[in-house]
Amino acid sequence: MTSVPQRVAVIGGGIAGLTVAHRLRGLLGEQVRVTVLEQTDRLGGKLRTEELAGGPVDVGAEAFVTRRTEGLELVTELGLTEDLRHPLRAAPTIRAGGATRPLPPRTFLGVPAEPALLREVLSADGFARAMAEPELPPLRPDGPGWDATVADLLGTRFGPEVVDRLAEPLLGGVYAGRAEGLGVRATMAPLVDALERGAGSLTAAAAQTLGPGPKAGETRPPVFGTLTGGLGDLVDRLAETSGAELRLGVTVRGLRRSAEGWRLELGSAASPEFLDADAVVLAVPAPAARKLLAEDVPAAAAAYGRIEVSSMAVLALALPPGTELLTASGVLLAVGEKHADGTPFTAKAFTFSSRKWGHFAERGTLLRASVGRFGETATLQRDDDELIAAVRADLAELTGVRAGPVDAVVRRWGGGLPQYALGHTATVAAIEAAVAEVPGLAVAGASLHGVGIPACIATGQAAATRVATHLAVARRPTGASMGTWPA
């Protein structure tokens, strides 16, 4: 006797939601029917590949870290290893104190394992403070769950220059946030772990986190990976292997528990559609999760409500053939850096794509600029042409390159990045504890345990396992009613 496939609704078609669908297919095969509901007209969330100068370019996340294995493992599982590429050996730079210099090595998100290497990017006073950090009274976390903002902790121990010239530019590229609003426990977890093991200073904690430096002639594994056709290929392959029904341009207006599982209200208030499911996974940004869980899981909704989001924009530019950029992979901009005329920079970072990635070098001179930090709404209110003009002016100031682009793509990410604020790990624990009490419900996505691709994949895998376990326990006999799921 065959059983009726159980039905799972995955709300959100980003990398986390698609991982859920893919993993459920692997765990349950034809015993499950998965529908992915995505509000926009495309899958992928913050993974978006568009065309620039006749070829693909990512205008969301451009790569994944390889120190976490989930990204590499998924690429291998999906048969995409032939398209896997790692960065070339060009090194990043940083604009600090009015000069562009190599980004100091041996730092963990700006926290130095060897403060002596910071001499070129700090003032004399700032360098002296950084060098003195290991001699300060031992730093002891104040009990389980201890947390502090990045600005407070690093500023107190190293001084404000390490915050403004190193930590904030590096964290700004990950979270589009400010150091005074980001908590170290969520954004620098390995550092906190080292402190809790007794490191005693931030310098010692960074050294423990990074491990010993490379020996002479030693080649370290690459830190990042991407795909030659863009990370959109990862999205497309996940959608294909999941075998899920993919519904784009569909808004989930409501989510309620029903006698048979869950009922979703789709569409508009004037013309709603109701769908029933045995299980539901929310893989959406915090504001959407808060709204959908408000009625049935208020504790989780309240915790999601504590997670703020930031907006940013990515500009991808193709310069005329033969235009020469710096030999670096890119440049970060420290807080407060200005043009020679006193005008603040608009961009917070540039990636010289054709210097960083070999497969871009074959296509000419390509680069990316990122714009926008938490609270910088006015910057992102400029139209595309204004943003391009401002970024071009920044590029000219930094590199002397004044050539106009032969092609450009501007992609805005409104509310795209969750802010891992003070107490974020406690907030996530509250979400997961409340969800754990509700059968047939799981959550995933960047709001939880990391905004990077591997971290989002991990939350999707965990959500799929939770749902598969629930369905195995609650498997229905043949003929059980499942409501009005569409054909």
Side-chain angles (χ1 to χ4, degrees):
M1 179 180 296
T2 60
S3 60
V4 173
Q6 292 165 295
R7 288 158 173 164
V8 178
V10 178
I11 306 174
I15 184 65
L18 291 173
T19 297
V20 173
H22 167 78
R23 192 62 66 212
L24 281 173
R25 181 66 57 214
L27 290 169
L28 300 176
E30 296 305 313
Q31 297 176 17
V32 66
R33 183 175 178 185
V34 181
T35 296
V36 176
L37 302 159
E38 168 57 41
Q39 185 174 9
T40 69
D41 62 356
R42 66 194 312 281
L43 298 170
K46 306 308 176 293
L47 275 62
R48 182 161 186 150
T49 303
E50 297 193 9
E51 184 174 298
L52 177 75
V57 64
D58 284 306
V59 290
E62 70 158 353
F64 54 87
V65 296
T66 58
R67 283 191 294 263
R68 287 197 62 156
T69 61
E70 293 91 347
L72 281 175
E73 290 170 350
L74 189 58
V75 165
T76 300
E77 180 182 340
L78 296 173
L80 294 170
T81 51
E82 290 188 0
D83 298 325
L84 181 64
R85 295 293 183 273
H86 301 292
L88 302 173
R89 294 192 177 277
T93 60
I94 188 162
R95 175 78 167 204
T100 302
R101 299 182 175 91
L103 185 68
R106 301 282 295 152
T107 67
F108 177 76
L109 292 174
V111 180
E114 299 179 32
L117 299 176
L118 305 186
R119 183 184 295 275
E120 295 299 316
V121 297
L122 302 180
S123 69
D125 288 344
F127 180 69
R129 286 202 62 175
M131 288 294 291
E133 194 275 337
E135 307 305 321
L136 295 177
L139 180 58
R140 306 296 186 204
D142 186 18
W146 166 88
D147 205 357
T149 68
V150 172
D152 284 346
L153 182 63
L154 273 62
T156 299
R157 300 289 298 191
F158 288 112
E161 286 188 13
V162 168
V163 177
D164 292 344
R165 298 189 182 189
L166 289 168
E168 183 147 321
L170 288 162
L171 288 169
V174 179
Y175 300 97
R178 303 304 299 260
E180 62 265 24
L182 297 172
V184 295
R185 179 167 287 275
T187 62
M188 299 181 173
L191 202 74
V192 174
D193 290 343
L195 291 173
E196 292 180 336
R197 292 193 302 267
S201 72
L202 288 178
T203 299
Q208 289 183 24
T209 299
L210 294 172
K215 299 177 182 178
E218 180 184 6
T219 301
R220 292 292 179 92
V223 177
F224 298 103
T226 194
L227 300 175
T228 55
L231 292 172
D233 286 353
L234 180 61
V235 172
D236 294 342
R237 189 65 62 87
L238 279 173
E240 176 187 351
T241 60
S242 73
E245 178 189 12
L246 308 172
R247 299 191 61 183
L248 304 180
V250 175
T251 300
V252 181
R253 299 185 63 251
L255 175 67
R256 297 300 305 271
R257 294 183 70 182
S258 68
E260 295 184 333
W262 295 89
R263 170 154 288 194
L264 291 77
E265 181 181 350
L266 313 181
S268 66
S271 181
E273 175 186 0
F274 294 96
L275 303 178
D276 295 329
D278 294 289
V280 173
V281 179
L282 273 69
V284 293
R290 177 195 59 77
K291 179 181 178 181
L292 291 172
L293 295 174
E295 292 291 333
D296 284 317
V297 199
Y304 267 118
R306 296 195 288 272
I307 301 175
E308 296 186 281
V309 293
S310 182
S311 300
M312 65 169 295
V314 173
L315 290 76
L317 307 178
L319 301 183
T323 305
E324 289 293 330
L325 293 171
L326 301 178
T327 57
S329 63
V331 57
L332 297 168
L333 287 99
V335 174
E337 290 298 301
K338 296 180 180 180
H339 290 239
D341 64 3
T343 304
F345 283 96
T346 297
K348 62 184 181 182
F350 285 90
T351 299
F352 302 147
S353 304
S354 48
R355 294 286 191 186
K356 183 175 181 178
W357 303 101
H359 60 288
F360 281 134
E362 301 166 358
R363 290 170 46 193
T365 304
L366 308 181
L367 61 89
R368 284 174 29 128
S370 59
V371 175
R373 292 184 176 93
F374 184 72
E376 293 182 355
T377 55
T379 299
L380 296 175
Q381 288 173 349
R382 305 181 194 180
D383 64 28
D384 288 359
D385 289 341
E386 288 180 295
L387 276 182
I388 292 172
V391 163
R392 285 186 58 199
D394 292 346
L395 183 67
E397 181 79 13
L398 292 167
T399 69
V401 173
R402 290 176 167 77
V406 297
D407 197 8
V409 177
V410 179
R411 173 55 51 192
R412 300 167 187 270
W413 297 107
L417 290 171
Q419 298 300 286
Y420 281 23
L422 195 68
H424 180 77
T425 55
T427 295
V428 173
I431 292 169
E432 293 180 333
V435 169
E437 298 296 320
V438 184
L441 177 66
V443 293
S447 295
L448 302 175
H449 298 289
V451 300
I453 292 172
C456 290
I457 291 170
T459 65
Q461 292 171 337
T465 299
R466 171 174 165 78
V467 165
T469 301
H470 167 74
L471 294 179
V473 172
R475 185 158 292 133
R476 297 170 181 271
T478 301
S481 172
M482 273 304 300
T484 57
W485 204 277

